[in-house]
Amino acid sequence: ERRIARVVFFASAAGTFTLLSGNSQSRAPRYDVSALAAELKTATALSVTPSPLAENPGFKIPEALAALTIQGAAIDTRDWKFRKPVPLARAGAQQLELDLEVLSRAQSDYRDLRLVRGTRQLPFLMECTSISRAIPVNATISAVPKHPSVSRWTLKLPKPALPITRLVCASTSALFHREIRVWEEVTDERGEKYPRDLGRASWQRTPQQTMRENSVVLNQTPVTDTLFVETDNGDNSAIELRDFRCHYAATRLVFKAAPEAAAPLWIYYGNRQAAAPRYDLSLVAPELLRAEKSPVALGAEESLKSKGERAGEAISAHGSWMLWGTLAIVVVALLVVIARLLPREN
């Protein structure tokens, strides 16, 4: 259902008028006729049906923030572990949706995301949408030896630490009532494993219900790539579950840029020590978010060595040279001592 929307106007003469629509950059019009809104509501008006919608042959995509050159501060990327190329097809506003690799390796609050061209940052806006993306997952059912009444499904995710918010599956069982638990097994600092609850739900089904899908809202984000779905059947037969899917919210970066062959654009991520960026671009966020944006697909991931890892390797290499040098000195010293202890020939 929808509400009917009407445009009421006064035509001084018969003829053809044009109704324009589809300009995300335009602001709401302000007409003096709005003062007559009360009278127009009760006025007798002719009903007009517009012709089919047609494209404007003179349309040109308006450039968002045309008078503004956007460039961020310089950045040292040696502390970032991963990056991906961001290929641009044309200049203007761009829309980049984070893929599973970035979502898995970036920090949970995305504070370590950076768009970098050369040695400088490119400011962007973070757009957390309400769009839900589904990830089909394989599930295997296994027995729990110490608890024969418990059914357990093991779900393997494509990546660890994905920002999953909901688990959905279908059931072929016609009658049941179960308490469902979703959890994962994590390892603490001492190397010991323990279960970590992610979400719980109560599922009920009667033959009269036509809805065959069930869902569990996850209260915490997984840190591993393996989930367990578990329920106690009590004195009933085990229920059947299938078609498991995990859902996450689509997250996008919105920015303005142009292709440059000499200086490609990269997205960097994977830095636990990074603080959230603060860009002045947020002051003009409405204009950029309303703009016609070009979708951007990320390239292949590149693994980088952080500054700390390089320092560790340098220390390790330096340490090995010191070790061999020390051993050589000790050997020479021992030979000198042995030579002095040997009897001299007359």
Side-chain angles (χ1 to χ4, degrees):
E1 294 182 352
R2 66 177 180 86
R3 292 183 178 274
I4 296 176
R6 295 189 177 98
V7 174
V8 181
F9 63 99
F10 178 76
S12 58
T16 301
F17 295 81
T18 301
L19 177 63
L20 299 176
S21 64
N23 182 357
S24 61
Q25 295 296 300
S26 66
R27 297 180 179 275
R30 295 185 301 170
Y31 299 128
D32 293 336
V33 74
S34 60
L36 304 176
E39 288 81 356
L40 290 175
K41 287 182 179 179
T42 59
T44 302
L46 298 176
S47 179
V48 179
T49 302
S51 61
L53 192 66
E55 292 187 358
N56 177 10
F59 172 72
K60 293 182 179 179
I61 298 178
E63 181 182 356
L65 308 174
L68 186 62
T69 301
I70 300 175
Q71 190 178 44
I75 183 173
D76 183 354
T77 60
R78 289 182 293 176
D79 287 332
W80 272 259
K81 292 184 178 180
F82 307 98
R83 72 175 186 176
K84 282 191 172 189
V86 184
L88 304 179
R90 63 179 181 85
Q94 316 287 337
Q95 177 178 281
L96 167 63
E97 182 169 331
L98 303 181
D99 59 17
L100 294 183
E101 286 184 319
V102 177
L103 292 173
S104 172
R105 299 186 188 277
Q107 299 304 303
S108 58
D109 56 359
Y110 308 117
R111 67 178 184 272
D112 58 333
L113 294 182
R114 297 293 189 277
L115 289 176
V116 179
R117 171 170 278 163
T119 60
R120 303 190 71 87
Q121 300 181 53
L122 184 67
F124 61 86
L125 300 175
M126 178 72 68
E127 186 181 17
C128 298
T129 73
S130 58
I131 301 172
S132 181
R133 304 292 189 203
I135 308 173
V137 292
N138 294 324
T140 56
I141 188 169
S142 58
V144 184
K146 295 183 179 180
H147 304 281
S149 64
V150 173
S151 294
R152 179 182 294 170
W153 293 263
T154 303
L155 279 57
K156 194 69 174 178
L157 302 175
K159 298 287 182 181
L162 292 176
I164 296 169
T165 58
R166 187 164 54 100
L167 172 67
V168 180
C169 69
S171 175
T172 56
S173 301
L175 180 65
F176 66 87
H177 180 271
R178 298 288 189 276
E179 297 297 323
I180 302 295
R181 174 193 176 207
V182 182
W183 57 282
E184 65 178 344
E185 191 175 62
V186 298
T187 305
D188 60 15
E189 295 82 2
R190 296 174 295 180
E192 298 181 358
K193 295 183 178 181
Y194 66 94
R196 177 173 178 260
D197 277 6
L198 300 176
R200 294 175 180 264
S202 179
W203 290 354
Q204 180 174 307
R205 176 70 49 76
T206 61
Q208 292 78 20
Q209 291 178 320
T210 57
M211 187 66 180
R212 296 296 178 184
E213 288 194 338
N214 310 281
S215 65
V216 180
V217 175
L218 303 188
N219 301 317
Q220 299 190 77
T221 300
V223 296
T224 68
D225 61 353
T226 304
L227 306 184
F228 299 97
V229 179
E230 196 172 85
T231 183
D232 192 335
N233 299 298
D235 298 317
N236 304 287
S237 60
I239 61 174
E240 295 182 7
L241 301 179
R242 64 181 185 183
D243 300 335
F244 285 88
R245 304 183 307 279
C246 292
H247 290 255
Y248 68 95
T251 303
R252 297 167 175 167
L253 303 187
V254 180
F255 58 97
K256 181 185 175 184
E260 288 187 22
L265 183 64
W266 299 85
I267 181 171
Y268 282 77
Y269 54 98
N271 181 0
R272 292 181 176 273
Q273 306 304 319
R278 296 182 299 170
Y279 299 127
D280 294 334
L281 185 65
S282 60
L283 299 174
V284 289
E287 290 83 350
L288 187 57
L289 293 175
R290 286 199 308 265
E292 296 283 342
K293 295 176 282 290
S294 299
V296 180
L298 289 172
E301 182 180 76
E302 293 186 12
S303 180
L304 308 172
K305 293 181 179 180
S306 66
K307 183 167 58 178
E309 290 173 333
R310 285 195 296 269
E313 290 180 356
I315 292 173
S316 178
H318 185 63
S320 63
W321 281 106
M322 289 185 63
L323 175 63
W324 287 109
T326 303
L327 288 175
I329 294 172
V330 170
V331 169
V332 172
L334 288 174
L335 291 175
V336 171
V337 172
I338 293 172
R340 289 182 177 180
L341 293 177
L342 290 175
R344 296 181 179 180
E345 296 182 358
N346 294 326

